[in-house]
């Protein structure tokens, strides 16, 4: 039986604040091997100081205190890439230097695992912020088949800022015209998860080839509400479980077949949270 590798993804909402609020105590008990972080909002030195003892690779945002992604692990990566795209020449700066995409390769007992930490733009319908999100999703859609071609074991994780289906947002009816649940955004995910080699009709009526990747959370839980991964800090959203499932493990088909366990680590109460997102953790059989 292949060994289990425990892989987590979490938007930390600022790594320094998260560690002050209890993230390190959670990590002490969680037994994580590889962890994708988003919205780090820290320099590399600050990130290393916040997570002592971890191997870390990161991509900082140009804007101080914004975005930032990283991969932290108990074993060193063998290769790192920080460029996504560009989908278009004029999008190069948005895609390549916004602290939103990093790829780290690991050799696990002779098998190559590609881990991506991604932080998709929040967007805002019919504004330049949404244009940046379209460019990012376009580039992501082109990159995913290249990752699978490089290794059958590839995993894109992170805060992707899109609820794919009605199951993924408690109040989906009130959000169909808002960024995060726009039909065009959701159609990208229709293609991500559509059968490879087939023409997929998206929820917005668009068509494109399916990539065949696996939504690990949905495969594991089936067609149920949530489990949600993000709740607004406003009102009683967390207490009432009025959330969104926007944090994902997207796996290549072969890696998707190797998932052993999956869970959203929801805090026991509002005041015990160390981020407005919950960690999403899965165990995979990797290695020989």
């Amino acid at each position: 039986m292949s060994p289990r590798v425990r892989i987590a993804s979490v938007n930390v909402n600022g790594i320094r604040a998260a560690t002050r609020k209890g993230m390190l105590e959670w990590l002490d008990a969680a037994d994580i091997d590889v962890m994708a972080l988003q919205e780090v909002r820290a320099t590399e030195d600050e990130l290393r100081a916040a997570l002592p003892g971890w191997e870390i690779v990161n991509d900082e945002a140009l804007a101080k205190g914004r975005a930032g992604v990283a991969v932290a692990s108990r074993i060193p990566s063998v290769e790192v890439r920080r460029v996504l795209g560009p989908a278009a020449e004029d999008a190069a700066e948005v895609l390549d230097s916004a602290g939103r995409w990093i790829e780290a390769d690991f050799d696990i007992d002779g098998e190559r695992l590609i881990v991506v930490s991604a932080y998709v733009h929040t967007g805002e319908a019919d504004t330049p912020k949404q244009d940046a999100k379209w460019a990012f999703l376009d580039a992501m859609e082109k990159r995913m088949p290249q990752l699978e071609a490089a290794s059958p074991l590839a995993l894109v994780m992170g805060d992707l800022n899109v609820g794919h289906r009605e199951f993924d947002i408690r109040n989906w009816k009130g959000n169909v015209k808002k960024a995060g649940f726009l039909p065009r955004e959701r159609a990208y995910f229709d293609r991500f998860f559509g059968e490879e080699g087939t023409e997929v009709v998206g929820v917005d009526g668009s068509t494109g080839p399916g990539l065949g990747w696996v939504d690990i959370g949905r495969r594991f839980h089936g067609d149920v509400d949530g489990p949600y991964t993000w709740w607004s800090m406003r009102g009683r959203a967390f207490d009432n479980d009025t959330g969104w499932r926007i944090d994902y493990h997207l796996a290549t088909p072969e890696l998707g077949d190797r998932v052993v366990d999956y869970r959203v680590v929801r805090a026991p109460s509002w005041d015990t949270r160390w981020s407005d997102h919950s960690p999403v953790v899965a165990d995979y059989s990797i290695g020989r």
Side-chain angles (χ1 to χ4, degrees):
M1 180 178 178
S2 296
R4 292 189 183 188
V5 178
R6 181 161 293 168
I7 304 178
S9 178
V10 60
N11 178 321
V12 295
N13 196 22
I15 188 64
R16 290 166 292 174
T19 53
R20 286 197 305 269
K21 294 176 181 178
M23 181 182 178
L24 293 179
E25 289 78 3
W26 174 75
L27 280 174
D28 285 343
D31 194 26
I32 304 297
D33 298 302
V34 180
M35 180 169 54
L37 306 174
Q38 304 88 47
E39 212 168 352
V40 172
R41 291 192 278 166
T43 66
E44 182 174 352
D45 288 343
E46 290 168 336
L47 176 57
R48 292 186 183 280
L51 294 175
W54 287 80
E55 297 280 344
I56 294 172
V57 295
N58 73 314
D59 186 33
E60 295 177 27
L62 287 181
K64 185 176 177 60
R66 300 287 300 276
V69 290
V71 176
S73 59
R74 294 304 190 185
I75 57 173
S77 57
V78 295
E79 186 174 339
V80 179
R81 296 169 297 277
R82 295 176 174 85
V83 174
L84 172 65
E89 290 182 4
D90 60 0
E93 182 176 347
V94 171
L95 298 176
D96 295 353
S97 57
R100 293 181 178 273
W101 184 273
I102 188 168
E103 302 172 7
D105 296 1
F106 297 89
D107 186 316
I108 299 178
D109 197 18
E111 293 198 289
R112 192 175 190 88
L113 171 68
I114 299 175
V115 170
V116 178
S117 181
Y119 179 42
V120 176
H121 302 70
T122 303
E124 185 178 339
D126 302 319
T127 72
K129 292 181 179 180
Q130 193 65 28
D131 293 337
K133 190 172 187 177
W134 299 137
F136 193 97
L137 289 169
D138 283 340
M140 185 172 163
E141 187 172 14
K142 292 177 181 178
R143 182 59 180 156
M144 288 167 67
Q146 297 171 351
L147 293 173
E148 185 177 6
S151 172
L153 304 180
L155 185 62
V156 175
M157 294 181 290
D159 176 0
L160 304 187
N161 266 314
V162 177
H164 178 211
R165 300 172 62 194
E166 294 169 4
F167 295 113
D168 297 322
I169 302 178
R170 174 72 73 183
N171 180 26
W172 67 267
K173 290 181 180 179
N175 286 282
V176 291
K177 295 183 179 180
K178 297 179 181 178
F181 201 61
L182 296 172
R184 180 177 166 187
E185 293 175 330
R186 296 163 58 202
Y188 283 93
F189 287 69
D190 291 334
R191 294 189 293 274
F192 293 166
F193 307 136
E195 183 179 350
E196 187 174 5
T198 65
E199 194 76 358
V200 174
V201 180
V203 67
D204 66 341
S206 64
T207 59
L211 303 187
W213 284 53
V214 179
D215 178 349
I216 296 298
R218 189 55 62 205
R219 171 178 281 189
F220 201 83
H221 286 283
D223 291 344
V224 300
D225 291 338
Y228 306 122
T229 64
W230 174 81
W231 301 262
S232 171
M233 287 291 193
R234 298 175 182 175
R236 298 179 59 85
F238 183 81
D239 294 337
N240 297 328
D241 203 22
T242 305
W244 294 51
R245 190 180 77 99
I246 53 177
D247 300 86
Y248 293 84
H249 282 221
L250 310 186
T252 51
E254 182 169 335
L255 185 59
D257 288 340
R258 299 200 197 184
V259 65
V260 179
D261 189 32
Y262 169 93
R263 56 209 170 276
V264 175
V265 186
R266 192 181 192 275
S269 62
W270 186 92
D271 59 339
T272 59
R273 295 193 295 170
W274 41 265
S275 173
D276 54 349
H277 293 252
S278 286
V280 179
V281 183
D283 294 348
Y284 298 90
S285 293
I286 306 174
R288 306 185 189 282

